[in-house]
Amino acid sequence: MAEVVERIVSKYYAVLEEGKVLGRKCPKCGNVEWPPVYACNACGHLETEWVEMSQKGEIKVLLVPTVMSSKPAYSDLEPYCYGIVETAEGPARNVMILNASKENAAYINAHLPYPVHMQIVQRDGYKTAVFAIDPIKADGSPDDKLAAKRAAFNKTTKEKTVEEPAETSEVKEETSTEVDPEIFATLAEIVAKAYKVDVSEITPDTPFEGKFKANSVVFVGIVAMIENEFDVFFTITEASTHKTVGALAKAIELQLE
């Protein structure tokens, strides 16, 4: 199964480089899955087909980040909010929404469902698809200043080169000693299978940098398997902020609480 997941995510991220976003469509019932998965979650059919997403959708729910839910790793994408977006093809997901802020959230919420479009952004070593609204002010009028800032950001990230991964010795994230043993054991098996190593080599302090490259296609596959195994949700950006296997296990544990 790991080989199937890796094949799907590899194709998905390769096409993102071309500015396209792919989903998987069920030939039996017509249901579309995004992000793409091999089987249909609507009817259970075991094979789906590639389909290009229109990159359009609607905001159904909008939530302004709090101090606790704000992520320093996303500071370059500000302003943003979280929300539930339903794509034109059907799938609805809890996602990040660029250009939405606490200043214009009241206007957006008063006009739900609010139009939104996908935007491909460069992260550390890979591209990913997020959602965005056209830049607006608190009263809903166009925000030309923010639009110019976002255009400059898009230009910069498009030209950004991939940096070399940090050496293992530079990883300084501390791993909690109170990682749930069952969650860690399951995660260790997923990581071992994905990287084709013996599970005994993996401890809570094992870093994803160096030997296990956090921003590789394999890591994307690991995130997909985590979501399937634990029934949790991580963006690739969020998952990659956890530098060790133990730290990622702790993040899974927190979502399950």
Side-chain angles (χ1 to χ4, degrees), residues 47-123:
E47 293 192 15
T48 51
E49 302 170 343
W50 288 112
V51 61
E52 185 174 351
M53 304 292 288
S54 66
Q55 303 190 32
K56 297 179 180 179
E58 294 180 331
I59 300 172
K60 299 297 185 179
V61 177
L62 186 72
L63 300 172
V64 178
T66 64
V67 174
M68 294 298 293
S69 62
S70 295
K71 305 286 185 180
Y74 302 160
S75 60
D76 58 325
L77 297 175
E78 293 176 346
Y80 66 84
C81 288
Y82 298 114
I84 297 175
V85 167
E86 183 177 293
T87 64
E89 290 74 19
R93 290 290 182 270
N94 184 7
V95 296
M96 173 185 288
I97 303 169
L98 306 188
N99 301 333
S101 65
K102 64 180 180 181
E103 287 76 21
N104 59 32
Y107 178 87
I108 296 171
N109 277 319
H111 293 80
L112 294 178
Y114 196 88
V116 68
H117 58 272
M118 289 184 181
Q119 183 169 315
I120 299 172
V121 298
Q122 178 73 46
R123 305 312 292 150

Side-chain angles (χ1 to χ4, degrees), residues 29-235:
C29 71
N31 176 62
V32 174
E33 298 284 350
W34 182 88
V37 293
Y38 198 70
C40 177
N41 284 319
C43 72
H45 191 63
L46 295 179
E47 293 192 15
T48 51
E49 302 170 343
W50 288 112
V51 61
E52 185 174 351
M53 304 292 288
S54 66
Q55 303 190 32
K56 297 179 180 179
E58 294 180 331
I59 300 172
K60 299 297 185 179
V61 177
L62 186 72
L63 300 172
V64 178
T66 64
V67 174
M68 294 298 293
S69 62
S70 295
K71 305 286 185 180
Y74 302 160
S75 60
D76 58 325
L77 297 175
E78 293 176 346
Y80 66 84
C81 288
Y82 298 114
I84 297 175
V85 167
E86 183 177 293
T87 64
E89 290 74 19
R93 290 290 182 270
N94 184 7
V95 296
M96 173 185 288
I97 303 169
L98 306 188
N99 301 333
S101 65
K102 64 180 180 181
E103 287 76 21
N104 59 32
Y107 178 87
I108 296 171
N109 277 319
H111 293 80
L112 294 178
Y114 196 88
V116 68
H117 58 272
M118 289 184 181
Q119 183 169 315
I120 299 172
V121 298
Q122 178 73 46
R123 305 312 292 150
D124 186 12
Y126 63 96
K127 285 183 171 64
T128 190
V130 297
F131 284 85
I133 64 169
D134 291 332
I136 59 171
K137 298 178 182 178
D139 61 358
S141 60
D143 189 336
D144 296 334
K145 185 176 181 181
L146 179 56
K149 179 181 177 181
R150 185 65 71 197
F153 165 77
N154 291 340
K155 183 175 185 297
T156 300
T157 56
K158 184 177 181 180
E159 297 171 350
K160 182 180 179 182
T161 57
V162 178
E163 298 177 356
E164 291 296 320
E167 295 296 328
T168 301
S169 61
E170 295 179 358
V171 176
K172 300 185 182 297
E173 179 178 7
E174 295 183 0
T175 300
S176 170
T177 57
E178 299 181 356
V179 176
D180 183 284
E182 292 186 8
I183 292 177
F184 172 75
T186 302
L187 177 59
E189 290 180 2
I190 290 173
V191 173
K193 183 180 293 185
Y195 285 104
K196 296 179 174 59
V197 300
D198 192 290
V199 70
S200 64
E201 297 180 29
I202 301 173
T203 71
D205 293 320
T206 298
F208 285 110
E209 300 290 350
K211 183 177 181 179
F212 298 155
K213 296 176 181 174
N215 294 322
S216 67
V217 170
V218 177
F219 185 79
V220 176
I222 288 174
V223 174
M225 286 186 281
I226 287 171
E227 293 180 340
N228 289 335
E229 181 67 32
F230 295 101
D231 194 23
V232 296
F233 175 77
F234 285 102
T235 65

